[in-house]
Amino acid sequence: MFYLTTAIDYTNGSPHIGHAYEKVLADVIARYRRLRGDEVFFLTGVDQHGQKVQQTAEKEGITPEAFVKRTTLKFSDLWQKLGVQYDGWAETIDERHKACVRAILSELKGQGQLYKKAHAGHYSVRQEQFLQERDRDEAGNFGPEWGEVVEIEEENWYFKLSEHTDWLKEFIENHPEVIIPAFRKAELLNALERNSGIDLCISRPRERLQWGIEFPFDENFVTYVWFDALINYISFAGYKATPGAGLPDFAKLWPADSRPVHIIGKDILIPAHGIYWLCMLHAMGFTDAQMPRLLVHGWWNIRGEKMSKSTGNIVDPSELADKFGTEALRYYLVRDIVTGRDSDFDMDRLIMLFNTELANELGNLCNRALNMSQRFTEGVLQPGGPLTEDDLALQASLAESIANYQTAMDEFDISKGLEALSRHIVHCNGYAERMKPWALNKDPENKERLATVLYHLAESVAHAAVLLSPILPDAAAQLADQLNLPALTSLKLADLHWGLLPAGHKLGQPKPVFPRIVQEAAAEGG
Ligand code: MSP
């Protein structure tokens, strides 16, 4: 079982292009793993508790519940629009999740992993956390990233994180494969050094925060938002669930010897996932072989700047999908970023990549293959003629492209996978120009040669449809339909072989799948 999750998005705002990227990336990986033949369970959802939600709801004069119900819809509607197909949906206000969080709290308390103590210090309202001396800037102040900082003294519940950090250090050193990409490992180990000896405050007093999960053994406290949110990965996987609760079988999803993949952004590796979560799992008795892999992606920025409400540079994915189409947006989001690195969101590049790689190269190939077959051979494929060096080179290019695609996709490098496919499409267009089927058609003597050339083009389109299906499921289905092979997109990677389209097969009518994006349409939206 390939169990894949994303971060769950805060519902105190609206989804932006960064959220959309993560969900599309996960969706592409989930679809690719299915194509590879794996059984997949893909979980995503929303993070609905916390101080920010409480404050925003108060400002609007509505209950936090009404507020999150409304904002949650913005996320789930967008995922539907973008074709993000998940198997499980996590909402942290779900009673089944709350019960799981409470059961874990009780169990950890029973094991002596939790304790209560008073603490006085500086507290960041925006980040919902106590600050340490090391959080001060060079001038000795708490910088603007912390927002309003207040001095408070209060009692809270703590998790004995410090008892697990030595284990974690050793675990990370011995299992570097759990942190992807590898360069994040050093950051994590450095952070562990800095954090050693510090326990994690996991509660908030109810008088300050009501919008959270109440402690089962101390009604004056609610759970700190991260301790609640991280647990979604197991609660919605059926951990400690009552039978009949409508949740998956945990033992099947997350068996003792398998690592799920958590897709997260670089900002929530340290300390949340890389330290808190792994230590929480360790305290709950998860074994080393069960620790998740963390696939840490980079950020989409705008002209090198972080996207933020205050600068007003937020890009709305829903508007982009309306303007350019869902498939163009999906393509851009995984094409113009190297998984793990940052990228700059650039509308001109979205248009350019769509127009060159899809509309021109692939669109042209599809059109040539289908159109000329219809015109010259009534759409009927008749391979079987003798093969030339050009034919063999095209077949070799396809085989290489599939192998490189698979290696890249196995490493979660979607952009590289698409490049591998693109190279083959360019090869095919060059082949078509050299073989000139339109000229071959002029002489009936060339009938067999013409059929061979057209077959090579159609076979390449059929393979491209399958390889593209995780990224552009709609376009792939349309191509399969035009090839008259609707079952094409349900093939597995291992089924790909030269000869997918049988001799005598009749192709359907071509219809452009990738209409060029015209610049005027882009200029309108700025
Ligand atoms: N609620 C927490 C996650 C809890 S997971 C148990 C959270 N939410 S978030 O809404 O702020 O972010 C959700 C995801 O979107 C995170 O993985 C975050 O890194 C990612 N991104 C937020 N802004 C982003 C970009 N500008 N670019 C790419 N991803 C970004 O953190």
Side-chain angles (χ1 to χ4, degrees), residues 97-239:
H97 170 74
K98 292 188 192 171
C100 181
V101 171
R102 289 195 189 107
I104 291 167
L105 284 168
S106 297
E107 205 165 283
L108 290 179
K109 175 152 181 288
Q111 292 165 6
Q113 288 284 330
L114 308 184
Y115 63 91
K116 202 172 175 183
K117 82 163 188 197
H119 176 75
H122 292 91
Y123 184 84
S124 155
V125 178
R126 179 192 292 173
Q127 300 297 340
E128 302 180 37
Q129 70 184 67
F130 274 104
L131 301 177
Q132 315 278 339
E133 281 310 300
R134 60 157 196 264
D135 296 322
R136 292 181 189 273
D137 59 21
E138 278 159 17
N141 302 318
F142 294 112
E145 69 275 23
W146 300 112
E148 186 192 354
V149 175
V150 288
E151 273 191 76
I152 50 176
E153 176 173 354
E154 65 186 27
E155 264 199 318
N156 268 306
W157 282 95
Y158 287 79
F159 161 55
K160 289 183 181 167
L161 187 76
S162 57
E163 285 191 356
H164 302 275
T165 45
D166 283 345
W167 159 81
L168 182 57
K169 236 178 277 172
E170 209 182 312
F171 172 73
I172 302 285
E173 301 272 18
N174 293 333
H175 299 276
E177 74 278 9
V178 299
I179 310 292
I180 319 164
F183 71 82
R184 297 269 174 214
K185 187 188 123 178
E187 269 171 48
L188 180 54
L189 288 172
N190 284 339
L192 266 170
E193 250 3 284
R194 290 198 307 273
N195 267 276
S196 81
I198 301 173
D199 284 339
L200 174 64
C201 176
I202 58 160
S203 69
R204 296 292 179 262
R206 262 188 86 104
E207 72 236 22
R208 185 146 64 78
L209 178 68
Q210 294 84 48
W211 187 238
I213 302 175
E214 204 176 278
F215 271 54
F217 43 81
D218 195 340
E219 60 179 24
N220 296 323
F221 292 91
V222 300
T223 319
Y224 169 47
V225 70
W226 275 105
F227 197 88
D228 157 359
L230 288 162
I231 288 173
N232 94 86
Y233 301 133
I234 53 177
S235 62
F236 289 97
Y239 185 69

Side-chain angles (χ1 to χ4, degrees), residues 374-387:
Q374 288 299 346
R375 276 169 42 215
F376 306 154
T377 65
E378 291 174 343
V380 179
L381 295 176
Q382 282 306 355
L387 298 179

Side-chain angles (χ1 to χ4, degrees), residues 357-375:
E357 295 183 355
L358 296 178
N360 290 1
E361 290 292 346
L362 183 57
N364 203 6
L365 176 65
C366 298
N367 189 44
R368 278 172 160 165
L370 287 147
N371 223 337
M372 288 192 287
S373 292
Q374 288 299 346
R375 276 169 42 215

